[in-house]
Amino acid sequence: MPGTPLTRFVSDGSIATWRNLKKITRVPDILIFTLIQPIMFVLLFTFVFGSSITVPGENYTSFLMAGIFAQTIVFGSTYSGSAMAQDLKDGIIDRFRTLPMNGSAVLIGRTVGDLVINVLSLVVMMLTGLIVGWRVESSALDFIAGVALLLVFSYAFSWVMAFLGLVVRSPEVINNASFLILFPLTFISNAFVPSENLPGPLRAVAEWNPVSALVQAARELFGNAPAGSAATDAWPLQHPVVYVLLFAVAMLVVFVPLSIRRFATLSR
């Protein structure tokens, strides 16, 4: 084939990404249900639990939205795992093997496709937040940095789920396994209640939970952090942006090679 290995890799990756995005247009239920769930969480926590949860120094809606953003992009990243497992089950990967394409491009296309879905999810979540009273109280640059940080974390986490999907190879199992991981990860955090309100052991877990750092960083960058919200000795909440970036880099360094190696092994 003409072109350098790099240009062929980029070309193959863009084609694989377009294939995944076209699938959404053919099966719009995927996107619809991906967007409905976080909207339900916003309405549920704002209007049902919001009156029962007090956050000193900030109204609960402003406090909540960063947690909803983090939960949305983490949950959205799990589609990489279930989609990879489904493609393996349906034999789609075997069909790709017959084509003169870079095998890694399939993984790139899958994870980038999920990143696009997460961008759309964030747009819908922010519009929903504006409707219920959430406002950005920081500069435009800080807002952009907050959105970028959420997307960087979501992209790195999608590689973790892609690897899990390649290992498990069953959509049903990956969905159940994902919830066993994601519910503790998002709920034992500061996403919905201040971490200092949690009992001792759970508070320690929440303070070092990368989702807590992601939520804290988003609150600070969007100008929604309550006064004294980082009044803790835990390093991740004192330096949330750095901690999130370090964690995202670590996920990419570990799971990108593992996923590519696992994919190559399955494709033999």
Side-chain angles (χ1 to χ4, degrees), residues 129-166:
L130 291 173
I131 291 172
V132 299
W134 171 71
R135 296 292 183 271
V136 176
E137 301 175 10
S138 62
S139 67
L141 288 178
D142 284 341
F143 170 74
I144 293 172
V147 172
L149 192 68
L150 288 165
L151 295 176
V152 166
F153 187 89
S154 76
Y155 184 70
F157 193 74
S158 68
W159 280 96
V160 179
M161 301 311 300
F163 176 72
L164 188 59
L166 292 171

Side-chain angles (χ1 to χ4, degrees), residues 72-140:
T72 298
I73 59 99
V74 170
F75 275 47
S77 300
T78 62
Y79 188 61
S80 287
S82 60
M84 288 301 304
Q86 188 66 52
D87 283 349
L88 285 167
K89 182 179 179 179
D90 294 342
I92 302 298
I93 301 302
D94 292 332
R95 297 179 189 176
F96 283 140
R97 290 171 56 193
T98 66
L99 301 175
M101 64 181 298
N102 190 309
S104 302
V106 176
L107 292 166
I108 296 294
R110 178 70 273 157
T111 53
V112 173
D114 284 357
L115 182 63
V116 174
I117 293 176
N118 271 327
V119 170
L120 296 175
S121 297
L122 277 179
V123 171
V124 172
M125 289 303 93
M126 289 179 177
L127 292 175
T128 305
L130 291 173
I131 291 172
V132 299
W134 171 71
R135 296 292 183 271
V136 176
E137 301 175 10
S138 62
S139 67

Side-chain angles (χ1 to χ4, degrees), residues 2-245:
T4 66
L6 178 60
T7 58
R8 290 198 299 270
F9 175 77
V10 173
S11 176
D12 292 345
S14 62
I15 292 172
T17 301
W18 180 244
R19 174 249 176 188
N20 293 320
L21 295 178
K22 287 287 289 183
K23 185 177 180 181
I24 296 174
T25 63
R26 293 169 183 165
V27 190
D29 298 8
I30 295 173
L31 185 60
I32 292 172
F33 285 104
T34 299
L35 298 178
I36 286 177
Q37 178 178 296
I39 291 175
M40 291 177 61
F41 270 106
V42 171
L43 300 178
L44 179 67
F45 276 88
T46 299
F47 296 114
V48 177
F49 299 127
S51 59
S52 302
I53 301 175
T54 301
V55 180
E58 188 62 83
N59 71 75
Y60 187 66
T61 299
S62 296
F63 176 86
L64 170 69
M65 289 310 301
I68 294 291
F69 296 152
Q71 183 195 54
T72 298
I73 59 99
V74 170
F75 275 47
S77 300
T78 62
Y79 188 61
S80 287
S82 60
M84 288 301 304
Q86 188 66 52
D87 283 349
L88 285 167
K89 182 179 179 179
D90 294 342
I92 302 298
I93 301 302
D94 292 332
R95 297 179 189 176
F96 283 140
R97 290 171 56 193
T98 66
L99 301 175
M101 64 181 298
N102 190 309
S104 302
V106 176
L107 292 166
I108 296 294
R110 178 70 273 157
T111 53
V112 173
D114 284 357
L115 182 63
V116 174
I117 293 176
N118 271 327
V119 170
L120 296 175
S121 297
L122 277 179
V123 171
V124 172
M125 289 303 93
M126 289 179 177
L127 292 175
T128 305
L130 291 173
I131 291 172
V132 299
W134 171 71
R135 296 292 183 271
V136 176
E137 301 175 10
S138 62
S139 67
L141 288 178
D142 284 341
F143 170 74
I144 293 172
V147 172
L149 192 68
L150 288 165
L151 295 176
V152 166
F153 187 89
S154 76
Y155 184 70
F157 193 74
S158 68
W159 280 96
V160 179
M161 301 311 300
F163 176 72
L164 188 59
L166 292 171
V167 171
V168 175
R169 303 181 65 180
S170 169
E172 296 78 16
V173 174
I174 189 69
N175 288 333
N176 292 332
S178 297
F179 279 105
L180 289 177
I181 296 171
L182 297 181
F183 267 89
L185 195 64
T186 53
F187 282 95
I188 306 178
S189 71
N190 62 356
F192 304 109
V193 296
S195 58
E196 55 267 27
N197 290 3
L198 298 174
L202 290 182
R203 176 177 178 175
V205 172
E207 288 176 339
W208 286 87
N209 184 344
V211 172
S212 291
L214 180 63
V215 173
Q216 179 67 25
R219 285 184 181 134
E220 291 180 1
L221 290 170
F222 295 155
N224 302 143
S229 61
T232 172
D233 294 331
W235 190 87
L237 297 185
Q238 290 288 340
H239 308 87
V241 174
V242 175
Y243 186 69
V244 170
L245 290 175

